[in-house]
Amino acid sequence: MRTPNALRGMVRFWLFDLGSASFLGTALLALIMMLALITGSKQAAIPIALGMIQISISAAIAWQFNRLAATEWASLVPNYSNNIALQSLMLGAIATSISLAACLLLELEGGLDQVMLATLAGVGFIYYCRRHINGFYLSFFLFLLLPFIAEITDFLPDWVIGLVPFLTVILAYLTWREIRGLRWHSDARTVYLNGLEMGWFWLPSLGSSRLMSYFDKLLHPVNFFLGPMLSTILIAMPVLALLVTISNSFSGMEFPVLFVVSQFCAVTCTMVHWSRIQRWRSVETLYILPGFDGKQGLIEAFANAQYRLLALITLIMAVLAALVCWLNPEFTIVLWSHIVLSTFCACCMLLGFGCAAKGAMHITLSMLVVVFHSAWLSSSLVALRDGEQIISWLVVDIGLVAISVLTLWWGKKKLWNGDLC
C-alpha cells in the first residue's frame, strides 16, 4: 500500500473527531508549554510537558482504535483499518521523535528516562485497551502518572530503566498484532458514547450514603449532567490525598500531593461543563424540573451551586495544605496561601469559561487554564526548592483573584444565552 493512500482522510479522522481532537489538542498545548519553558529560566517542568505529549498521543491512538472497534462497517471499506493503523504509527513516531530530540538537544537531567517511561506507559495503555475494551475508562489516571514520573525514575534501579526501551518495543509489537486482528466489539460503542459524555473519566461508585446524598443535594444542579461522579470525586480526592500525605510523612518520600490535588480540582471544574456540553439534550429535562423560577431562576441556581462547589474545593485545598504544613516544617504560610489561591483562581476561571462555552472545542480551549496553572504552580515549587522566595507568586495570585471572580461573573451572564427560549 502506498503511503499517500494511507494518509487519505487523516485530517477528517483525527481532527474532526471530538475525542482524538481533544487529546491531540492537549498534546499541542503541552508542546506550546514546552517551547515557552525553553525560553524561560526554569526547565525542570519540560520533561512533564514532553511526557504529556507522549501520553496524549497514546490516548488519541487508543481512542481511534476503540472507535474503529465500534464501527460495524469498518471491514467493508477497503484499507480503512490499515490506514488508521499506519496513521497512528506515524503520529506516535513523530511525537516520540520530538520528545527524544528535545531531551537530547536541551540536555535535560533525567529527561530521557522520564520520556521513555511515559512512552512505555502510553504504549502499555494502548495494548491494555485492545485487550480490554472498558480499559479506556482509565485514561484519566494515565495523566495522573505525569507528576510522579520524576520520582518513579529516581526510585527505579538503573537496570530497570535500561529495560524500558526494550519493553516499549515489545509492547508496540504486541499492540500491532492486536490491531491487525481488530474486529468489531459490542462494548466499544458504549465506551465511545460514554467517553464523549463523561470526558473519558471513570471512578467506582461509592453507593448511596448520607454523605453522598448531602453532597448531591449541596451541588444540585451543577451535578445534574455529571451525576454522582462529582460527589464521588470530592469525597475520594481528599481521602486519597490524606493517605498519601501520611505515607509521605512516614516513608520520607516527596510525592507532590498538593500539586496533583490542585490539578485534579481544576480538571473536575472542567468536567462539570464538559458533561453539560456533551449532554445538551438533558438541559430541557433539567429546565422542566420543579424548583426553578423560569430560565433566569435556573441560571441563578446553577451559578449558586457553582459558588458552593468552588467554596468546597477551596476548603479541601486549604485543609490539605494546612495538614502538609503541620507535618512539614519547611512548608510556610506563604506557600500555603499560594497553593490555595492559585487553585481558587484556576477553578474560578474554568467555571467561568465553562459557563460561556457553547461547544466541546470551547471546553478544550479552556484547558489552557489547566496547563498554565500547572506551569505556574510547578515553577513556584521549583523556585522554592532552589531557595528562592515566592512572595512575588503570591502577589500575582492576589491580583488573579479579582480577574478570576470577574471571569466567573461574566460566564454567568453567558450561561445558556440564547438557549431555552
Side-chain angles (χ1 to χ4, degrees), residues 20 25 27-28 80 85 88 113 133 135 182-183 191 199 201 209 213 241 243 253 265 278 280 303 343 350 380 392:
S20 61
L28 179 60
Y80 175 58
S88 301
D113 295 339
I133 292 295
L182 187 63
R183 296 291 185 270
V191 175
F201 185 82
S209 63
S213 299
L243 294 176
M253 301 185 69
C265 291
Q278 294 300 324
W280 57 272
T343 304
L350 287 167
S380 65
S392 57

Side-chain angles (χ1 to χ4, degrees), residues 233-309:
I233 292 173
L234 293 175
I235 294 173
M237 180 171 57
V239 172
L240 294 176
L242 178 62
L243 294 176
V244 175
T245 300
I246 296 175
S247 176
N248 282 347
S249 178
F250 284 99
S251 64
M253 301 185 69
E254 297 182 356
F255 286 116
V257 179
L258 295 179
F259 176 82
V260 174
V261 173
S262 181
Q263 292 295 103
F264 214 112
C265 291
V267 174
T268 300
C269 292
T270 305
M271 288 293 303
V272 168
H273 289 284
W274 177 271
S275 60
R276 179 181 67 84
I277 293 297
Q278 294 300 324
R279 294 183 169 180
W280 57 272
R281 294 183 182 89
S282 300
V283 176
E284 293 184 357
T285 303
L286 175 63
Y287 181 55
I288 63 176
L289 289 178
F292 304 121
D293 186 13
K295 175 183 175 181
Q296 190 58 38
L298 174 60
I299 293 175
E300 290 291 338
F302 197 92
N304 291 335
Q306 283 195 140
Y307 301 151
R308 294 192 293 271
L309 173 63

Side-chain angles (χ1 to χ4, degrees), residues 158-363:
D158 294 338
W159 67 271
V160 175
I161 296 296
L163 289 176
V164 168
F166 299 100
L167 294 175
T168 303
V169 173
I170 293 173
L171 275 177
Y173 172 73
L174 294 176
T175 303
W176 183 260
R177 289 186 56 184
E178 289 288 331
I179 295 168
R180 301 297 291 181
L182 187 63
R183 296 291 185 270
W184 178 80
H185 198 287
S186 59
D187 293 336
R189 178 175 173 80
T190 302
V191 175
Y192 180 82
L193 295 177
N194 288 343
L196 288 178
E197 292 182 349
M198 303 305 295
W200 311 280
F201 185 82
W202 176 86
L203 275 178
S205 174
L206 295 181
S208 178
S209 63
R210 290 185 178 181
L211 185 59
M212 283 288 293
S213 299
Y214 173 77
F215 274 92
D216 290 340
K217 182 179 180 181
L218 178 70
L219 299 173
H220 183 75
V222 160
N223 59 353
F224 180 80
F225 305 99
L226 198 55
M229 183 181 296
L230 182 58
S231 300
T232 304
I233 292 173
L234 293 175
I235 294 173
M237 180 171 57
V239 172
L240 294 176
L242 178 62
L243 294 176
V244 175
T245 300
I246 296 175
S247 176
N248 282 347
S249 178
F250 284 99
S251 64
M253 301 185 69
E254 297 182 356
F255 286 116
V257 179
L258 295 179
F259 176 82
V260 174
V261 173
S262 181
Q263 292 295 103
F264 214 112
C265 291
V267 174
T268 300
C269 292
T270 305
M271 288 293 303
V272 168
H273 289 284
W274 177 271
S275 60
R276 179 181 67 84
I277 293 297
Q278 294 300 324
R279 294 183 169 180
W280 57 272
R281 294 183 182 89
S282 300
V283 176
E284 293 184 357
T285 303
L286 175 63
Y287 181 55
I288 63 176
L289 289 178
F292 304 121
D293 186 13
K295 175 183 175 181
Q296 190 58 38
L298 174 60
I299 293 175
E300 290 291 338
F302 197 92
N304 291 335
Q306 283 195 140
Y307 301 151
R308 294 192 293 271
L309 173 63
L310 187 60
L312 187 58
I313 287 176
T314 306
L315 178 62
I316 290 173
M317 281 304 305
V319 172
L320 288 176
L323 177 62
V324 174
C325 183
W326 177 58
L327 294 175
N328 188 354
E330 298 179 358
F331 198 95
T332 63
I333 188 64
V334 175
L335 181 57
W336 179 89
S337 303
H338 167 58
I339 291 177
V340 174
L341 287 180
S342 62
T343 304
F344 170 84
C345 293
C347 293
C348 196
M349 287 185 180
L350 287 167
L351 290 174
F353 287 131
C355 286
K358 295 295 184 181
M361 188 56 65
H362 295 158
I363 299 294

Side-chain angles (χ1 to χ4, degrees), residues 1 65 68 79 81-86 89 130 172-183:
M1 182 170 50
F65 290 151
L68 192 61
N79 296 324
S81 299
N82 291 334
N83 287 357
I84 295 296
L86 291 175
L89 180 62
R130 295 291 10 104
Y173 172 73
L174 294 176
T175 303
W176 183 260
R177 289 186 56 184
E178 289 288 331
I179 295 168
R180 301 297 291 181
L182 187 63
R183 296 291 185 270

Side-chain angles (χ1 to χ4, degrees), residues 108-130:
L108 301 174
E109 183 180 357
L112 191 61
D113 295 339
Q114 295 179 41
V115 168
M116 289 307 303
L117 191 61
T119 305
L120 176 62
V123 176
F125 176 72
I126 297 173
Y127 179 72
Y128 182 79
C129 289
R130 295 291 10 104

